[in-house]
């Protein structure tokens, strides 16, 4: 048995028998290289050939792997599935927007922001939700009061994704804000404010995608397909916006398994 093990697992540091002092004690720190190697040999000889892990089935059952759905998007409602030509045109338009943004990013970044624009810190989730969506949408207030129609209060209606704003956002911030808005969208309805920001953030997202961004946009596309199916009034403008996001995720960012089949 030992010779078989020797053949399968040759020693990396073969040590011939060496003359050691009669008072050699393997329990004390080695004093010479020969004593050190001899001690290693002795310790290795004492190790069992096979070790069996003791597993507690009760603990194993409590820590099962969580299954994550990797299913595709739900089909569009009958009569609302986008054509292939429409999807290809949206991808071309989106590509042009991204190229223009990259080309002029430094210019827009150098533009001064209005005094009322205070961009939240990257880790401020609630701050970014209010910044993008506005207090009216964030707090789910149905309408503005009459005295608020005299001018635009961006604190209440949200700041639009101006180029001077999104050009200042690095990839970490883009990914974080995208995560915040997708998380909010997971339990809320789709709004024009949300749609504009999702489109702008996708336009700022660099390829190749980081793993977290890859997961986020797939989650976004699936959520859009769920909302699209549940749309009671079949608002064409809203369904078109949802179709657009699904189209960009699936066809521009190469998540083809999520794509709508052409009508």
């Amino acid at each position: 048995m030992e010779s078989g093990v020797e053949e399968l697992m040759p020693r990396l540091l073969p040590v011939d028998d060496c003359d050691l002092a009669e008072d050699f004690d393997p329990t004390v720190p080695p004093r010479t290289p020969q004593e050190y190697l001899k001690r290693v040999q002795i310790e290795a000889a004492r190790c069992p050939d096979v070790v069996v892990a003791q597993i507690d089935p009760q603990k194993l059952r409590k820590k099962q792997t969580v299954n994550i759905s990797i299913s595709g998007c739900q089909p569009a409602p009958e009569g609302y599935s986008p054509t292939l030509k429409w999807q290809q045109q949206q991808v071309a338009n989106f590509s042009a927007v991204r190229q223009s943004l990259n080309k002029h990013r430094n210019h827009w970044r150098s533009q001064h922001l209005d005094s009322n624009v205070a961009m939240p810190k990257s880790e401020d989730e609630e701050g970014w939700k209010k910044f993008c969506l506005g207090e009216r949408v964030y707090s789910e207030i149905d309408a503005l009061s009459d005295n608020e129609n005299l001018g635009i209060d961006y604190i209440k209606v949200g700041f639009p994704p101006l180029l001077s704003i999104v050009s200042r956002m690095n990839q970490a911030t883009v990914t974080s804000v995208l995560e915040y808005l997708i998380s909010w969208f997971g339990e809320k309805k789709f709004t024009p404010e949300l749609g504009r920001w999702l489109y702008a953030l996708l336009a700022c997202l660099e390829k190749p995608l980081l793993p977290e961004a890859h997961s986020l946009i797939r989650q976004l596309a699936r959520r859009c397909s769920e909302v699209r199916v549940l749309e009671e009034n079949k608002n064409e403008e809203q369904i078109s916006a949802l179709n657009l996001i699904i189209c960009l995720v699936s066809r521009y960012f190469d998540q083809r398994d999520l794509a709508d089949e052409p009508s």
Side-chain angles (χ1 to χ4, degrees), residues 48-113:
D49 293 333
V50 179
V51 178
V52 179
Q54 299 299 321
I55 299 176
D56 186 348
Q58 297 298 328
K59 292 183 179 180
L60 193 62
R61 277 194 287 269
K62 294 179 181 179
K63 297 182 179 180
Q64 293 294 318
T65 302
V66 177
N67 292 322
I68 300 175
S69 174
I70 56 174
S71 59
C73 290
Q74 299 186 31
E78 186 175 355
Y80 291 92
S81 181
T83 64
L84 180 59
K85 182 179 180 180
W86 181 88
Q87 294 183 66
Q88 292 172 337
Q89 185 61 53
Q90 301 311 313
V91 169
N93 294 344
F94 183 69
S95 179
V97 168
R98 285 172 60 90
Q99 291 177 15
S100 178
L101 176 60
N102 290 331
K103 182 178 180 180
H104 302 290
R105 185 182 301 276
N106 290 334
H107 166 74
W108 288 110
R109 186 181 294 164
S110 65
Q111 301 301 302
H112 293 291
L113 295 176

Side-chain angles (χ1 to χ4, degrees), residues 38-176:
K38 189 63 177 178
R39 182 176 179 179
V40 171
Q41 284 184 319
I42 295 172
E43 291 178 351
R46 292 173 179 172
C47 294
D49 293 333
V50 179
V51 178
V52 179
Q54 299 299 321
I55 299 176
D56 186 348
Q58 297 298 328
K59 292 183 179 180
L60 193 62
R61 277 194 287 269
K62 294 179 181 179
K63 297 182 179 180
Q64 293 294 318
T65 302
V66 177
N67 292 322
I68 300 175
S69 174
I70 56 174
S71 59
C73 290
Q74 299 186 31
E78 186 175 355
Y80 291 92
S81 181
T83 64
L84 180 59
K85 182 179 180 180
W86 181 88
Q87 294 183 66
Q88 292 172 337
Q89 185 61 53
Q90 301 311 313
V91 169
N93 294 344
F94 183 69
S95 179
V97 168
R98 285 172 60 90
Q99 291 177 15
S100 178
L101 176 60
N102 290 331
K103 182 178 180 180
H104 302 290
R105 185 182 301 276
N106 290 334
H107 166 74
W108 288 110
R109 186 181 294 164
S110 65
Q111 301 301 302
H112 293 291
L113 295 176
D114 291 341
S115 58
N116 65 329
V117 181
M119 295 174 62
K121 294 182 178 180
S122 179
E123 65 275 9
D124 184 2
E125 179 173 354
E126 300 306 312
W128 273 110
K129 289 177 182 177
K130 293 179 181 179
F131 183 88
C132 299
L133 305 174
E135 292 183 351
R136 179 174 63 87
V137 172
Y138 179 79
S139 303
E140 298 183 288
I141 301 173
D142 291 334
L144 298 172
S145 59
D146 293 339
N147 61 359
E148 291 174 336
N149 294 327
L150 300 177
I152 298 177
D153 185 346
Y154 288 114
I155 302 298
K156 289 185 170 57
V157 301
F159 289 90
L162 303 173
L163 290 173
S164 56
I165 293 177
V166 298
S167 294
R168 285 174 160 79
M169 300 168 65
N170 58 31
Q171 281 301 289
T173 302
V174 170
T175 304
S176 293

